[in-house]
Amino acid sequence: MQDLAINGGPRAIEGTLPSFRDASGRTLGDEEMKELSDVLKSGSLSFLVGPKTGEFERQFAARYGVSHAVAVSSGTAALHTAVIYLNPEPGDEIILSPITDVGTVIPIISQLAIPVFADVDPNTHNIDPASIERNISTRTRAIIVTHVYGHPADMDAIMAIAKKHNLFVIEDCAQAHLASYKGKLCGTIGNLGCFSFQQSKHMTTGDGGMVISNEDGRFGRGLRHCSDKGWPRERGGRDHLFLAPNYHMTELQAAVGLAQLKKLDRFVKARVDAADRLSALLSGGEVIPVLPLPGTTGVYFFYSFRLDSQRLSRPIPEVMKALTAEGIDGFIGYPGQIPLYRYPLIKEHKTFGSSGLPFTLDGVRKDDFDTELCPVAERACRETICMWWTDRMEDHHLRQIADAIRKVIMAYRN
Ligand SMILES: Cc1ncc(COP(=O)(O)O)c(C=O)c1O
């Protein structure tokens, strides 16, 4: 057996793997150039005066088969638009998973609602419907369901709970472009679907986001107005109906988005096919990949896996260091080695000045975020290895990744 790279041996992965960080793992080319050059030549860089943002919204809505799409500046902006649409009272509760990006919780806190963290399923790391149910109170207004790693959450069970308790459901599809649950596209099952086009996502505009829905105006406010200063522009004149930020997407982002959307099916298929091939290469060993639920199509934002730690002589952080030395592009735990509620924003209520709002409001739910609030999520964050994934993984990359993982496991086997 060759020495591990961490001990001075040769790396299992020659060169570097395709990366979302640059052109090695992103497919941006003539189509994006053409769309962008249209915008620049036109001199109209804002959606107020150019056609691309509206066209991007129409095409995105058509691909998902929904009646409304609102383009915004990021995935966080999409989720914030959704929560502004819901218009919670200060102190109302919104349930979410602690295994998600901070962009899922920022909108809740920004609207002075209380984030309530439900635990996750030990296999998929998606929000656990039983834990949602345990956390419902008279103040619960909504559930934000993140389809984490690109794999759909258990939507039948979640929608049944939402129906029973009259809760609004926002799907966080930042990592789940074209993922599907029993034949339905994620983002179209709940009330609203929110997407991110940040650099690492299945399709990218650098930063950017989209909210999709089949409804509008339910809480007395238009979805589009929620990302546009509360401004009903369609009525003409200047009017501001309620507090809302400016989250406009620019025509430059929309131009890239239009070109990327045309390739999205191909990108997603390539990610899934490569992940399936890697799972086949790794099968029968100590690697336990996080797989989509039966009846769903997961779209592999990351390729995530656990290792049977009983059979390893080293702790996971050491294993990760050895994998990195072999050339693996990954990390332990998403969003980090601790769940979301353990970050200062939430645990220490670092919000508005020194007020600690909304956590310090009278009569609101007070969780101690400095404990193992969600034990399954805590463990998932400590033990799961997430590898960055792209649509440009080829067979020789996959073979080298599998070799690297096997090499480290062999060296550190009990
Ligand atoms: C699950 C999830 N939710 C929300 C976000 C926020 O998206 P953005 O980074 O575009 O604001 C991200 C992206 O990082 C994400 O992965």
Side-chain angles (χ1 to χ4, degrees):
M1 190 176 47
Q2 283 189 317
D3 275 351
L4 291 179
I6 202 164
N7 298 331
R11 281 164 50 126
I13 296 171
E14 293 154 19
T16 51
L17 296 169
S19 164
F20 72 91
R21 298 174 188 87
D22 55 39
S24 66
R26 298 268 35 152
T27 306
L28 295 155
D30 292 345
E31 303 80 2
E32 286 78 4
M33 286 290 223
K34 161 83 178 62
E35 294 282 356
L36 270 175
S37 118
D38 283 354
V39 174
L40 289 173
K41 282 183 194 150
S42 75
S44 304
L45 270 52
S46 156
F47 84 104
L48 291 167
V49 287
K52 299 284 183 195
T53 309
E55 188 52 32
F56 184 33
E57 290 176 342
R58 275 187 291 282
Q59 290 192 21
F60 203 88
R63 181 63 189 83
Y64 280 86
V66 294
S67 48
H68 301 280
V70 179
V72 292
S73 53
S74 70
T76 308
L79 287 154
H80 196 183
T81 300
V83 177
I84 294 170
Y85 176 75
L86 173 70
N87 195 17
E89 293 298 327
D92 278 355
E93 293 164 14
I94 298 182
I95 297 177
L96 75 161
S97 161
I99 299 200
T100 187
D101 183 73
V102 68
T104 317
V105 78
I106 287 169
I108 299 174
I109 297 169
S110 300
Q111 291 311 111
L112 298 179
I114 304 290
V116 173
F117 292 93
D119 210 345
V120 301
D121 177 272
N123 295 314
T124 64
H125 303 177
N126 269 317
I127 196 162
D128 175 2
S131 182
I132 295 179
E133 190 122 46
R134 280 197 297 277
N135 279 288
I136 288 173
S137 79
T138 51
R139 296 213 67 176
T140 309
R141 289 290 309 284
I143 310 165
I144 302 186
V145 182
T146 298
H147 301 292
V148 80
Y149 316 146
H151 297 343
D154 186 358
M155 288 309 288
D156 277 353
I158 293 168
M159 294 312 289
I161 293 168
K163 194 167 172 208
K164 182 169 152 202
H165 298 276
N166 190 28
L167 303 177
F168 196 69
V169 177
I170 298 166
E171 290 180 76
D172 176 355
C173 306
Q175 303 183 359
H177 293 251
L178 299 185
S180 65
Y181 179 90
K182 299 189 180 172
K184 287 188 205 153
L185 284 172
C186 290
T188 68
I189 305 167
N191 300 92
L192 299 184
C194 297
F195 293 81
S196 164
F197 307 126
Q198 177 264 348
Q199 175 77 29
S200 63
K201 301 303 190 290
H202 296 73
M203 56 175 281
T204 188
T205 61
D207 265 313
M210 191 76 80
V211 187
I212 64 170
S213 187
N214 277 315
E215 66 165 67
D216 199 4
R218 175 197 302 225
F219 304 100
R221 33 182 64 178
L223 188 56
R224 186 171 294 283
H225 308 158
C226 297
S227 58
D228 189 17
K229 310 174 187 172
W231 189 343
R233 291 176 195 268
E234 66 284 0
R235 296 186 199 163
R238 199 175 251 282
D239 200 1
H240 301 287
L241 303 176
F242 53 86
L243 179 66
N246 166 355
Y247 281 150
H248 303 161
M249 176 175 276
T250 72
E251 287 284 282
L252 296 163
Q253 289 164 296
V256 176
L258 274 168
Q260 288 275 290
L261 183 60
K262 290 199 174 68
K263 307 174 191 171
L264 180 61
D265 285 79
R266 179 153 59 83
F267 292 158
V268 170
K269 183 171 185 314
R271 278 191 188 240
V272 176
D273 286 353
D276 288 347
R277 294 205 298 280
L278 181 61
S279 294
L281 287 171
L282 293 170
S283 72
E286 282 87 347
V287 176
I288 310 159
V290 180
L291 298 174
L293 285 173
T296 73
T297 305
V299 291
Y300 292 91
F301 174 60
F302 299 125
Y303 186 98
S304 302
F305 61 94
R306 284 176 294 123
L307 297 170
D308 185 350
S309 49
Q310 307 285 335
R311 292 167 72 182
L312 293 172
S313 60
R314 305 288 174 103
I316 297 297
E318 277 188 48
V319 174
M320 190 67 238
K321 275 191 198 139
L323 288 169
T324 304
E326 297 296 337
I328 295 278
D329 185 9
F331 55 91
I332 304 172
Y334 178 79
Q337 291 180 36
I338 45 174
L340 202 53
Y341 51 78
R342 296 263 196 178
Y343 290 93
L345 161 66
I346 297 161
K347 188 179 75 175
E348 296 164 26
H349 305 165
K350 299 283 189 202
T351 53
F352 303 94
S354 55
S355 70
L357 288 169
F359 300 100
T360 48
L361 285 167
D362 277 349
V364 301
R365 174 171 167 144
K366 304 250 191 287
D367 281 314
D368 180 358
F369 296 113
D370 204 10
T371 57
E372 293 224 344
L373 201 57
C374 300
V376 184
E378 297 269 346
R379 188 165 172 201
C381 289
R382 280 195 304 268
E383 294 187 348
T384 308
I385 294 176
C386 299
M387 280 194 295
W388 287 107
W389 210 237
T390 85
D391 48 88
R392 300 277 287 277
M393 295 294 189
E394 293 178 19
D395 277 333
H396 65 280
H397 301 125
L398 303 173
R399 274 196 302 275
Q400 290 184 38
I401 292 170
D403 287 347
I405 295 172
R406 275 197 297 257
K407 183 179 166 192
V408 171
I409 290 174
M410 294 267 273
Y412 289 165
R413 197 174 257 153
N414 256 332

